[in-house]
Amino acid sequence: MTNKDEPVRPEARLPKGFSDISAGEIRATETMLATIRGVFESHGFEPFDTPALEYSDALGKFLPDQDRPNEGVFSFKDDDEQWLSLRYDLTAPLARYVAENYQNLPKPFRRYQTGPVWRNEKPGPGRFRQFTQFDADTVGASSVAADAELCMLAADTLEALGLKGQYVVKVSNRKVLDGLREIIGLNDQKHDGRWLTVMRALDKLDRLGIDGVCALLGPGRKDESGDFTKGADLDRASIVTLTSIFEPVEDADEKIAQLDLRLRDSVIGQEGRKELEKIWSLVATSSYDDGRILIDPSVVRGLEYYTGPVFEAELTAPITDERGQPIRLGSVVSGGRYDGLVERFTGEKVPATGVSIGVSRLFFGLQRLGKYKVSVAQGPVVVLVFPDQPIENYQRLVNRLRKPDDGGPPIRAEMYLGSGKIGAQTKYADKRGSPCVVIQGGDEHAKGEVTIKDLILGATLTSIKDRDEYLKKRAEAQFPVPEQKLVEAVRGVLSRHKA
Amino acid sequence: MTNKDEPVRPEARLPKGFSDISAGEIRATETMLATIRGVFESHGFEPFDTPALEYSDALGKFLPDQDRPNEGVFSFKDDDEQWLSLRYDLTAPLARYVAENYQNLPKPFRRYQTGPVWRNEKPGPGRFRQFTQFDADTVGASSVAADAELCMLAADTLEALGLKGQYVVKVSNRKVLDGLREIIGLNDQKHDGRWLTVMRALDKLDRLGIDGVCALLGPGRKDESGDFTKGADLDRASIVTLTSIFEPVEDADEKIAQLDLRLRDSVIGQEGRKELEKIWSLVATSSYDDGRILIDPSVVRGLEYYTGPVFEAELTAPITDERGQPIRLGSVVSGGRYDGLVERFTGEKVPATGVSIGVSRLFFGLQRLGKYKVSVAQGPVVVLVFPDQPIENYQRLVNRLRKPDDGGPPIRAEMYLGSGKIGAQTKYADKRGSPCVVIQGGDEHAKGEVTIKDLILGATLTSIKDRDEYLKKRAEAQFPVPEQKLVEAVRGVLSRHKA
């Protein structure tokens, strides 16, 4: 029992895996989101938003034999005993919306959505429990032309963000994997678990290399720490068949021909091959076959709900951390076809395909590549305050800047509101990145004057050796003007330091 | 126990008290937020964001004698047995941040923040469980000049949103109420509960009128349904003293003089009166004393953490619902000084004052007043698709529109991706609000032509009586052009229908 009379002082701390976001980062992210929005809009997608919370069963994470919904999501019970969860992606809420409103939607329905998603997972370096996604989906279109369009949308977006030549979009098809499953004889439902082990193994090429993957497809693998992971126990021939998807073939047509040969005896596999062929034809027609988009059967994608084409984009430019160590960033865009997600609710198949940008991860990558720099924006003009003068005078000055009567745009300005002396007030203005401060002591007020002090120019004064030059610059950096000329004089300083 | 083999089909439904947001509403809200952001920036505030989740005790809603954190917030236990809650406002997370980072902040610290907040309350008409707030706070400034500035910020914001002459900002001070408490002899801590009843009664003037409030200050009140609410049991003299705050006095100086008289014997009351006087002086200096800002001691504000000036803005323009019935919207902006909120963490007082705009509620009010209309934006140009033609041809046309080679801006365009016939495709384009569609059948393709159909002009054709006029207009509404002239022709149609 806690003693209620004793005041409990909570510790001020951010929850693990979450972060506060600074002004510079917010401004840079906004710019980035606006660019993405522009590309998505040009492709005909319309904005749409869903709330942060959904009924847990609608998210498909509810397991009826557990007391709580599945791990990985943040969930809690409502007053009326229903489980609610914070969305873990933007696709599941879209499926809920489409199932609920299918009759009234234009078909196909094309929407984009951006916002935070939450994962109740162990946080780690660069691994947050709240992060932003930016999705576009086309619902009600079964043609693979819709998938091809999304691959091109991904390429257009990355290019608009300044990544020309520094990314690649890789396309595969779940049906190709399904065909391989058929061919190695794991088609029966009773092999579902084993097949999942296979998929997970194939998805680890990046981290484990081909030998690691083969070990996981076979008896299993011991990692550096000595821990042993049991494998899928496949025979040699099956492993060769499966890992053929990793065979490097430069030419897309050749790669498709190779798939054709390998999937000769699988109907589903042939379907996948044909869809890849069609996507490639559309990509080539639109001249994205110049290395920006590749056919790559090794794309697996973790999510289980994909039913056809799958794709992911990664940055090809090497990315390093603060200490110059290379970082494996993973895919920054991913997506695919999920024809069964609406069916979960309605029992009727609704074809759908979508693409998701991991905004937080991509932003991190762009930062490391020196794009979308987080910079401190120019701060407001600060009107300094002498404690022996009526504060009303300073309020009048700051109002004049915010609502200038010269017909020009408002000037960002604030009156100093703390209790520091003039020196501390100037330091505050410096810390805020203010271009200049406005000073009016008693004498100046009596003369109807103000002094403008250019902080940016002022900071350069000490480096001037020549005395005449110094005096000239000092006069430019700090000068009195009649109060009537305040706006004009401040505008002068601002234009002096325009980026 | 649920049978695990039986597929459970979840119902597709939005959780109670939450809403999906349409394209038109998103666009209108974005415009509104940009306007607010502009005003806040001009006042020198910098953007800042905190995550959606905080440790429950940091939000101040944790009651140690209950199994779960306080009602009213969405909370759940983390893997490491810590309670997390969705933020219910933007002030508590700010206090957590300031307590955590005080040493490194510029002082005063001025930040603005916008985002959703969540309340685990019973939803009702116009009462949502997720809504957006837009806050500005000045932390580290004890001067009431900071409070006065926020009142002016509120006025500037509402004016920038087009509400000139349709709102009023009312200012009071918690210390005035504290003074009245002292004067009626309820100062002792043992009267805390009774005083809370008094505050709640005073806060109900809007809904119950003066007689209802007096009943609640006295023995109690029976409402229309016959339910009886126990009152604060004050004597006649105390009730007269308290309700004096509602006495209508037009002139602010007169109102302040009246407070001076009534609070003669209360030190804290006099402090409050002096602060109001100072705020009024700053407001008057800045010419906001023209009816935009009023001194009104009847402002109580529900939140318990206020310690000094409190203020709220409401719309004075009458607002009605869809059926023309008047709606009591309540305050759209509110705020005040909360010098004790950071102290909860650190034990040291940090002066702070803030203002919060109820964005969702204000947006609703603006809608009802006919501003920020939710309109359907012009949809993309739709390239229709004939099933007997290679889809690659259409992909090429749509790409040409999105990346025009005339150096002009991209044209919003999409290729039809559904399975409808040409008529259904045109209807789809209509539903999307497309200005025109691009048609290319086999014959046209052979001739290297496309047909542009202006849907907006086309919709007006049926109303034309005169045959020559009709033929002329029809020729304008649907016409062939060489494929090379596609961009030029579509731009022509777009400029024809520019807003």
Side-chain angles (χ1 to χ4, degrees):
Chain A
M1 283 296 290
T2 313
N3 185 347
K4 280 181 71 179
D5 295 334
E6 203 172 82
V8 183
R9 192 169 289 164
E11 194 191 336
R13 70 221 188 283
L14 193 61
K16 273 190 312 177
F18 292 89
S19 62
D20 296 318
I21 308 177
S22 69
E25 197 173 336
I26 291 173
R27 291 204 172 98
T29 311
E30 285 296 328
T31 311
M32 177 189 176
L33 290 178
T35 301
I36 300 176
R37 194 173 285 123
V39 176
F40 281 32
E41 291 255 346
S42 82
H43 277 246
F45 291 89
E46 294 277 325
F48 173 69
D49 271 353
T50 58
L53 291 165
E54 296 279 348
Y55 285 124
S56 304
D57 61 348
L59 292 186
K61 284 273 180 178
F62 194 80
L63 300 180
D65 58 338
Q66 290 188 347
D67 281 349
R68 294 178 59 87
N70 205 352
E71 284 180 29
V73 292
F74 289 108
S75 306
F76 40 88
K77 231 176 198 167
D78 199 4
D79 291 342
D80 41 0
E81 298 295 299
Q82 302 235 40
W83 280 102
L84 290 170
S85 296
L86 282 169
R87 63 183 179 211
Y88 62 88
D89 71 7
L90 301 173
T91 311
L94 172 68
R96 186 269 303 155
Y97 174 77
V98 169
E100 209 179 352
N101 300 281
Y102 194 65
Q103 292 311 318
N104 304 316
L105 296 178
K107 286 163 207 78
F109 176 59
R110 291 155 75 98
R111 81 89 180 77
Y112 70 84
Q113 181 172 2
T114 181
V117 299
W118 292 268
R119 303 274 169 90
N120 190 4
E121 297 171 339
K122 262 216 174 351
R127 209 179 160 80
F128 291 99
R129 302 209 287 176
Q130 170 176 330
F131 53 93
T132 303
Q133 292 194 329
F134 205 130
D135 283 22
D137 293 83
T138 303
V139 179
S142 55
S143 159
V144 291
D147 305 282
E149 281 245 301
L150 291 177
C151 295
M152 296 189 253
L153 172 68
D156 288 353
T157 304
L158 294 172
E159 229 142 294
L161 293 170
L163 291 168
K164 197 178 179 71
Q166 301 188 296
Y167 70 91
V168 61
V169 181
K170 303 191 289 188
V171 191
S172 185
N173 196 307
R174 267 295 161 88
K175 292 174 184 169
V176 167
L177 284 173
D178 289 342
L180 293 173
R181 175 177 178 174
E182 204 172 283
I183 281 162
I184 63 169
L186 288 185
N187 212 26
D188 197 282
Q189 213 178 318
K190 72 177 178 203
H191 295 304
D192 278 1
R194 208 165 154 207
W195 180 245
L196 202 63
T197 309
V198 170
M199 299 256 284
R200 291 207 179 118
L202 293 176
D203 207 19
K204 289 198 177 116
L205 182 73
D206 260 20
R207 258 180 296 155
L208 306 182
I210 189 70
D211 290 343
V213 172
C214 286
L216 283 175
L217 291 173
R221 178 177 174 274
K222 195 185 276 192
D223 66 18
E224 295 80 43
S225 73
D227 284 350
F228 184 78
T229 310
K230 217 187 125 18
D233 249 334
L234 297 181
D235 58 33
R236 198 72 221 141
S238 298
I239 294 177
V240 169
T241 300
L242 283 172
T243 52
S244 70
I245 59 173
F246 300 132
E247 281 168 24
V249 186
E250 276 303 303
D251 182 71
D253 295 317
E254 205 177 304
K255 202 170 288 182
I256 290 165
Q258 191 195 63
L259 285 176
D260 187 19
L261 206 67
R262 212 169 290 275
L263 297 166
R264 207 170 27 195
D265 299 324
S266 164
V267 173
I268 186 87
Q270 282 297 337
E271 233 178 77
R273 191 265 307 157
K274 269 188 218 143
E275 289 180 6
L276 277 180
E277 219 172 316
K278 186 75 194 165
I279 290 177
W280 185 248
S281 162
L282 284 159
V283 162
T285 298
S286 307
S287 312
Y288 286 77
D289 58 344
D290 54 356
R292 290 185 284 172
I293 300 183
L294 299 180
I295 299 295
D296 185 340
S298 74
V299 173
V300 176
R301 300 303 311 147
L303 278 167
E304 280 168 58
Y305 57 57
Y306 291 123
T307 56
V310 285
F311 36 88
E312 59 185 28
E314 55 190 44
L315 304 186
T316 50
I319 292 175
T320 54
D321 66 12
E322 284 79 5
R323 287 166 302 168
Q325 297 297 313
I327 296 173
R328 204 188 295 278
L329 196 63
S331 64
V332 291
V333 188
S334 62
R337 177 162 288 277
Y338 53 96
D339 287 352
L341 215 52
V342 176
E343 188 184 13
R344 280 185 59 240
F345 297 100
T346 60
E348 274 174 70
K349 258 202 166 48
V350 174
T353 183
V355 68
S356 180
I357 298 179
V359 170
S360 311
R361 185 185 287 183
L362 179 55
F363 183 72
F364 176 80
L366 286 166
Q367 294 286 299
R368 297 304 308 157
L369 291 173
K371 306 180 201 280
Y372 287 87
K373 281 224 167 75
V374 170
S375 59
V376 177
Q378 199 171 72
V381 174
V382 177
V383 175
L384 305 194
V385 171
F386 287 80
D388 63 340
Q389 295 294 310
I391 202 165
E392 282 80 355
N393 294 346
Y394 302 111
Q395 184 70 56
R396 210 180 290 123
L397 293 176
V398 80
N399 285 344
R400 197 185 277 233
L401 291 169
R402 283 177 190 157
K403 293 182 198 158
D405 55 9
D406 66 351
I411 296 169
R412 274 195 95 188
E414 69 180 57
M415 178 169 76
Y416 180 76
L417 286 171
S419 54
K421 298 195 173 151
I422 292 299
Q425 295 187 27
T426 310
K427 267 201 194 119
Y428 165 81
D430 261 330
K431 199 163 182 178
R432 291 292 307 273
S434 307
C436 63
V437 294
V438 175
I439 304 168
Q440 189 182 56
D443 294 349
E444 284 154 314
H445 185 248
K447 284 192 278 179
E449 276 185 358
V450 292
T451 294
I452 316 280
K453 187 171 175 183
D454 180 331
L455 298 179
I456 301 170
L457 198 56
T460 66
L461 286 182
T462 49
S463 66
I464 299 176
K465 300 265 158 58
D466 182 76
R467 191 176 153 76
D468 287 347
E469 172 73 6
Y470 174 82
L471 289 175
K472 185 174 155 261
K473 283 286 177 195
R474 199 185 59 176
E476 279 174 36
Q478 179 162 349
F479 55 93
V481 290
E483 211 180 296
Q484 306 314 332
K485 302 248 174 179
L486 171 66
V487 168
E488 192 183 319
V490 168
R491 284 213 200 281
V493 172
L494 293 183
S495 69
R496 198 183 270 171
H497 300 301
K498 216 160 222 161
Chain B
M1 282 298 290
T2 313
N3 186 345
K4 281 183 70 180
D5 295 334
E6 203 172 80
V8 183
R9 192 170 288 166
E11 194 191 336
R13 69 219 191 286
L14 193 61
K16 273 191 311 176
F18 292 88
S19 62
D20 294 320
I21 308 177
S22 68
E25 198 174 333
I26 291 172
R27 292 201 171 99
T29 311
E30 285 297 329
T31 311
M32 178 189 175
L33 290 178
T35 301
I36 300 176
R37 194 173 286 124
V39 177
F40 282 32
E41 291 254 347
S42 81
H43 278 246
F45 291 89
E46 293 278 326
F48 173 69
D49 272 352
T50 59
L53 292 166
E54 297 278 349
Y55 285 124
S56 304
D57 61 348
L59 292 186
K61 286 269 179 180
F62 193 80
L63 300 180
D65 57 338
Q66 291 187 346
D67 279 350
R68 292 178 60 86
N70 205 353
E71 284 180 30
V73 293
F74 288 108
S75 305
F76 43 87
K77 232 175 198 168
D78 198 3
D79 292 342
D80 41 359
E81 297 295 298
Q82 301 236 41
W83 281 100
L84 290 170
S85 296
L86 281 169
R87 64 183 179 209
Y88 63 89
D89 71 6
L90 302 173
T91 311
L94 171 68
R96 184 271 303 155
Y97 175 76
V98 170
E100 209 179 352
N101 299 281
Y102 195 66
Q103 293 311 319
N104 304 316
L105 296 178
K107 286 161 207 84
F109 176 57
R110 293 155 74 99
R111 80 89 178 79
Y112 71 83
Q113 181 172 3
T114 183
V117 299
W118 293 267
R119 303 273 168 92
N120 191 3
E121 298 171 337
K122 261 212 174 355
R127 208 181 161 80
F128 291 98
R129 303 210 285 176
Q130 171 177 331
F131 54 94
T132 303
Q133 294 194 329
F134 206 131
D135 284 23
D137 293 84
T138 303
V139 179
S142 55
S143 159
V144 291
D147 304 282
E149 282 245 301
L150 290 178
C151 295
M152 298 189 253
L153 172 67
D156 288 353
T157 304
L158 294 172
E159 231 143 291
L161 292 170
L163 291 168
K164 197 179 179 70
Q166 303 188 295
Y167 71 91
V168 60
V169 181
K170 302 191 292 190
V171 191
S172 185
N173 196 306
R174 268 293 163 87
K175 292 175 184 168
V176 166
L177 286 172
D178 289 343
L180 292 172
R181 176 179 179 175
E182 202 173 282
I183 280 161
I184 64 169
L186 289 186
N187 211 26
D188 197 281
Q189 212 178 320
K190 72 177 179 205
H191 295 303
D192 278 1
R194 208 165 154 205
W195 180 246
L196 202 63
T197 309
V198 169
M199 299 255 284
R200 291 210 178 115
L202 294 175
D203 207 19
K204 290 200 175 113
L205 182 74
D206 260 21
R207 259 179 297 155
L208 306 181
I210 187 73
D211 290 344
V213 171
C214 285
L216 283 176
L217 290 173
R221 177 175 175 275
K222 196 186 276 191
D223 66 19
E224 295 79 44
S225 73
D227 283 350
F228 184 78
T229 310
K230 216 186 124 20
D233 250 335
L234 298 181
D235 59 33
R236 197 72 222 142
S238 298
I239 293 177
V240 168
T241 301
L242 283 173
T243 53
S244 69
I245 60 172
F246 299 132
E247 281 167 25
V249 185
E250 276 304 301
D251 183 71
D253 295 319
E254 206 177 304
K255 202 170 287 181
I256 290 166
Q258 194 196 62
L259 284 176
D260 187 19
L261 207 65
R262 212 170 291 274
L263 297 167
R264 208 170 26 195
D265 299 325
S266 164
V267 173
I268 184 88
Q270 283 297 338
E271 233 178 76
R273 191 265 306 157
K274 268 188 219 145
E275 288 181 5
L276 277 180
E277 220 173 314
K278 187 74 195 166
I279 289 178
W280 185 248
S281 162
L282 285 160
V283 162
T285 299
S286 307
S287 312
Y288 286 77
D289 58 343
D290 54 356
R292 289 184 285 172
I293 300 182
L294 299 180
I295 298 297
D296 185 339
S298 75
V299 172
V300 176
R301 299 302 313 147
L303 278 169
E304 281 168 56
Y305 56 58
Y306 291 124
T307 55
V310 285
F311 36 88
E312 59 186 28
E314 54 191 44
L315 304 186
T316 50
I319 291 175
T320 55
D321 65 14
E322 283 80 4
R323 288 165 302 168
Q325 297 296 313
I327 296 174
R328 203 191 295 280
L329 194 64
S331 63
V332 291
V333 188
S334 63
R337 178 163 287 279
Y338 53 96
D339 287 352
L341 215 53
V342 175
E343 189 183 12
R344 280 185 58 241
F345 296 101
T346 59
E348 275 175 68
K349 257 201 168 47
V350 174
T353 183
V355 68
S356 179
I357 298 179
V359 169
S360 311
R361 185 186 286 182
L362 179 55
F363 184 73
F364 175 81
L366 286 165
Q367 294 285 298
R368 298 305 307 157
L369 292 173
K371 307 183 201 278
Y372 287 86
K373 280 220 168 78
V374 169
S375 58
V376 177
Q378 201 172 73
V381 173
V382 177
V383 175
L384 306 193
V385 171
F386 288 81
D388 63 340
Q389 295 294 310
I391 203 165
E392 284 79 357
N393 294 345
Y394 302 111
Q395 185 69 56
R396 211 180 288 122
L397 292 176
V398 81
N399 284 344
R400 196 185 278 234
L401 292 168
R402 284 176 190 158
K403 293 181 197 158
D405 55 9
D406 66 351
I411 296 169
R412 271 195 96 190
E414 68 180 58
M415 177 170 77
Y416 180 76
L417 286 171
S419 53
K421 298 194 172 151
I422 292 299
Q425 294 188 27
T426 309
K427 268 201 192 116
Y428 165 82
D430 261 330
K431 201 165 181 179
R432 290 293 307 272
S434 306
C436 64
V437 294
V438 175
I439 304 168
Q440 189 182 58
D443 294 349
E444 285 155 313
H445 184 249
K447 283 194 280 179
E449 278 186 357
V450 292
T451 295
I452 315 282
K453 188 171 175 184
D454 180 333
L455 297 179
I456 300 169
L457 198 57
T460 66
L461 285 182
T462 49
S463 65
I464 300 175
K465 300 266 158 56
D466 182 75
R467 190 176 154 74
D468 287 348
E469 173 74 7
Y470 174 83
L471 289 175
K472 184 174 155 260
K473 284 284 178 197
R474 199 185 58 176
E476 280 175 35
Q478 180 160 350
F479 55 93
V481 291
E483 212 181 296
Q484 306 314 330
K485 301 247 172 178
L486 171 66
V487 168
E488 191 183 320
V490 168
R491 284 211 199 280
V493 173
L494 293 183
S495 70
R496 201 184 265 172
H497 301 301
K498 214 158 223 162

